[in-house]
Amino acid sequence: MTRLTRALSAAAVSLAVLLLAAACQTDRDRPAESPTPLLLISIDGFRHDYIERFDSPTIDRLIREGLHADSMHHAFPTKTFATHYTMVTGRYPGTHGVVANNMWDPRREASFSLGDREAVNDGFWYQGGEPIWVTAEQQGLTAATYFWPGSEAVIQRTRPTHFKPYDGRVPHEERIDQVLDWLAMPSERRPDFLTLYFSRVDSRGHGAGPAAPETLAAAEEVDARLGDLLAGLEAMGMLDRINILLVSDHGMDAVSRERTIALDEYLDLSKLRVSDWGPAAQIWEGEMSAGEIVAALEGAPHLRAWTRENIPDRYRFGSHYRVPDVLVEADPGWLISSKPYMANPDPPRGMHGWDPALAVMHGFFIARGPAFAAGSRSPAVRSVDLYPLMSELLGLEPAENEGRLAVFEPYLEARRALDYRVERFDCEAGPVEARIAPEHMALHVGEFIHVLDRRGEGRFASIDLSFVIDGDRARGVVDGRSLGECRRLP
Ligand code: AMP
Ligand code: ZN
Ligand code: ZN
């Protein structure tokens, strides 16, 4: 043997060993039985109450045949990248670190913006969470994503087997066809977890306003495409052999130039860094300290400013190092901007990004498939609980997360439609409606919908929230403030 052939045969042997190891690895890791495929679909900016406002035959069908929650409580800030990443990781932005659509990383001294392709593709920004497609791929399943924030980046050395670089111009038909093609693959290669994403309802919502005819027309078009998807699945004989989660990432509220606050009326912007604007501004110390920034904003109308340590606990936002020194949130319907930007001749008519408990910021949620009994109804659910739900549906060992599977378990175990109970109370602080499910409740108070976990018979709580029902009386605390004595209404 020459030195060359010896080297070549040695290389061939090591290659064979590697291939064998890889084959064994896939054999060992892939579960013996494939789970029911799971398709997660997001309609960006689809406020939960839009379905009452337009003709939506497909969504109506999904509701009739599946589990429908009144709405979905997202995470703060109610912005696309932050909320989408929470849905797939079960962690709050304050933990996973995708803290806005526009972020500043003080350690790397770098910015992220959803329009910056290089940043969007860079796994660095997403390392604080484990998306469900990573959990799936690492446990031997196959993932295929037709758009999802984070899906193009390598996270924990993993990317979905099939993914698409984001391009909002791809016709909706093409996205649907690709998902149907993926599902038509031979079973050993067929993806187990898939995503679909549509942005037009959000962009119309920004341009024309929430529930404007143009926005609802976009919703109607998405409904029609979902109809094509269901027809395609039915033709393949798959409609009852797939679990579908249909969600949106936040709601939408009306805004106007008149309800805009010029931050530069209160602060010298050359002395600090503002990494995000809008319903909430994220501000970093510069020549001004956090305390000075908050002091300068004291008394400014229609906003509240907090240093990082004072952000309300309910937002679960204080912990990550990308959370800014100062967070400023405007009143609902108000925006934080600057004088030069306010000269924009075409200001938005719709926006989102405020407190996720505001009803107008709630997204929506429907689940249909063999795991869910047709006609089931739930009070508002929490987006952070989707990751444990999806792990369960796919038979995966979930990564560490801040969600709670218990909320969905009664629905997964139900053979027949599961509904919830509505109880109304007249509290000293005003009327309250409690929508009660086996493991959680939604507390409707004024313009807010809070989600609380069951802690016992008639006892519900969450951070800075509690509601205790005792016969015809109840007591509650919202954001640390008592609702006073509550009496049951007939
Ligand atoms: P938002 O205003 O927070 O709802 O952001 C919505 C916008 O996010 C959409 O109009 C898209 O342009 C953008 N977007 C959504 N998904 C992605 C993605 N995976 N990569 C880049 N941009 C995205
Ligand atoms: Zn969005
Ligand atoms: Zn938007």
Side-chain angles (χ1 to χ4, degrees):
M1 241 194 232
T2 65
R3 200 185 297 165
L4 179 64
T5 50
R6 212 165 28 232
L8 279 176
S9 63
V13 168
S14 8
L15 185 65
V17 167
L18 272 177
L19 286 175
L20 193 66
C24 292
Q25 175 109 18
T26 1
D27 277 355
R28 193 187 61 228
D29 288 353
R30 188 164 175 93
E33 232 178 280
S34 292
T36 302
L38 172 63
L39 170 58
L40 173 65
I41 309 171
S42 167
I43 310 176
D44 201 306
F46 191 104
R47 201 169 74 189
H48 64 97
D49 60 344
Y50 282 1
I51 42 175
E52 295 152 22
R53 297 163 186 245
F54 74 103
D55 195 22
S56 52
T58 312
I59 292 176
D60 294 349
R61 175 180 178 187
L62 290 169
I63 289 176
R64 268 196 319 276
E65 298 177 352
L67 159 65
H68 178 219
D70 292 340
S71 63
M72 184 148 70
H73 183 297
H74 277 281
F76 182 85
T78 42
K79 288 285 189 181
T80 299
F81 266 63
T83 57
H84 274 90
Y85 207 54
T86 288
M87 286 191 265
V88 293
T89 59
R91 299 188 191 180
Y92 289 93
T95 308
H96 64 54
V98 181
V99 299
N101 286 345
N102 303 292
M103 304 184 263
W104 168 249
D105 188 290
R107 295 189 189 158
R108 200 191 220 194
E109 301 199 335
S111 315
F112 174 101
S113 140
L114 91 184
D116 174 348
R117 177 147 303 249
E118 205 180 309
V120 162
N121 290 349
D122 184 352
F124 168 79
W125 295 96
Y126 308 95
Q127 297 302 337
E130 180 174 307
I132 187 74
W133 59 79
V134 169
T135 312
E137 293 274 354
Q138 290 186 352
Q139 292 178 38
L141 299 186
T142 302
T145 50
Y146 214 124
F147 304 155
W148 199 274
S151 62
E152 299 146 75
V154 178
I155 300 166
Q156 294 179 23
R157 298 181 302 285
T158 307
R159 242 187 334 206
T161 299
H162 311 276
F163 67 93
K164 299 280 179 183
Y166 186 72
D167 178 358
R169 294 162 307 181
V170 176
H172 293 174
E173 288 84 350
E174 205 174 311
R175 307 179 194 193
I176 303 273
D177 286 348
Q178 175 64 78
V179 163
L180 290 171
D181 285 349
W182 277 331
L183 287 168
M185 288 169 99
S187 61
E188 67 281 5
R189 286 197 292 126
R190 185 179 68 203
D192 305 286
F193 171 76
L194 308 95
T195 71
L196 256 173
Y197 167 83
F198 304 101
S199 67
R200 204 171 297 146
V201 176
D202 178 72
S203 32
R204 294 277 175 82
H206 286 298
E214 296 91 323
T215 310
L216 296 178
E220 216 167 297
E221 192 269 338
V222 172
D223 188 272
R225 294 294 76 74
L226 292 174
D228 299 343
L229 172 73
L230 297 196
L233 290 171
E234 221 155 16
M236 290 160 66
M238 269 209 76
L239 185 56
D240 292 322
R241 292 193 289 122
I242 184 168
N243 287 310
I244 300 175
L245 301 184
L246 180 62
V247 302
S248 66
D249 60 337
H250 47 70
M252 189 69 71
D253 198 9
V255 290
S256 77
R257 198 200 304 272
E258 290 67 44
R259 289 197 304 274
T260 304
I261 302 149
L263 204 58
D264 39 356
E265 276 191 16
Y266 304 91
L267 296 170
D268 177 351
L269 298 182
S270 68
K271 291 192 172 157
L272 34 87
R273 175 188 297 277
V274 184
S275 51
D276 200 20
W277 300 86
Q282 304 200 2
I283 308 180
W284 298 83
E285 291 180 338
E287 288 169 45
M288 280 178 93
S289 71
E292 286 167 339
I293 297 169
V294 170
L297 290 169
E298 218 168 80
H302 304 294
L303 57 76
R304 287 159 300 155
W306 303 286
T307 57
R308 188 195 285 117
E309 310 73 53
N310 292 325
I311 298 171
D313 291 343
R314 181 165 65 71
Y315 282 20
R316 305 260 212 147
F317 192 59
S319 41
H320 199 275
Y321 76 92
R322 282 186 203 133
V323 172
D325 299 314
V326 177
L327 177 70
V328 187
E329 187 185 6
D331 285 348
W334 283 76
L335 295 176
I336 299 165
S337 187
S338 66
K339 285 181 214 158
Y341 192 82
M342 282 159 73
N344 174 1
D346 192 17
R349 302 234 169 115
M351 195 49 78
H352 49 87
W354 296 272
D355 184 346
L358 284 164
V360 286
M361 288 300 102
H362 275 236
F364 87 138
F365 173 92
I366 301 171
R368 183 205 188 277
F372 304 93
S376 286
R377 301 290 170 259
S378 168
V381 291
R382 248 179 333 224
S383 66
V384 78
D385 299 330
L386 291 191
Y387 174 85
L389 170 65
M390 293 191 289
S391 299
E392 175 73 14
L393 291 173
L394 290 170
L396 298 169
E397 187 60 46
E400 200 180 308
N401 66 84
E402 294 161 296
R404 229 177 133 242
L405 176 62
V407 167
F408 286 108
E409 266 172 339
Y411 292 94
L412 295 175
E413 285 155 10
R415 294 274 156 100
R416 268 174 295 161
L418 204 60
D419 208 343
Y420 61 81
R421 204 169 72 239
V422 180
E423 300 187 5
R424 293 185 182 83
F425 294 89
D426 187 19
C427 302
E428 282 167 42
V432 161
E433 188 172 300
R435 300 190 182 179
I436 301 172
E439 285 298 328
H440 77 295
M441 78 171 307
L443 193 63
H444 293 236
V445 194
E447 55 187 341
F448 295 93
I449 304 171
H450 297 284
V451 178
L452 286 72
D453 295 304
R454 184 183 286 279
R455 295 281 162 80
E457 185 57 39
R459 288 176 45 235
F460 300 86
S462 180
I463 291 186
D464 271 351
L465 300 161
S466 76
F467 200 71
V468 179
I469 304 169
D470 185 8
D472 282 342
R473 303 283 175 116
R475 282 170 287 121
V477 175
V478 172
D479 286 342
R481 281 192 303 276
S482 168
L483 297 170
E485 266 306 301
C486 306
R487 288 165 187 276
R488 187 189 294 276
L489 291 170

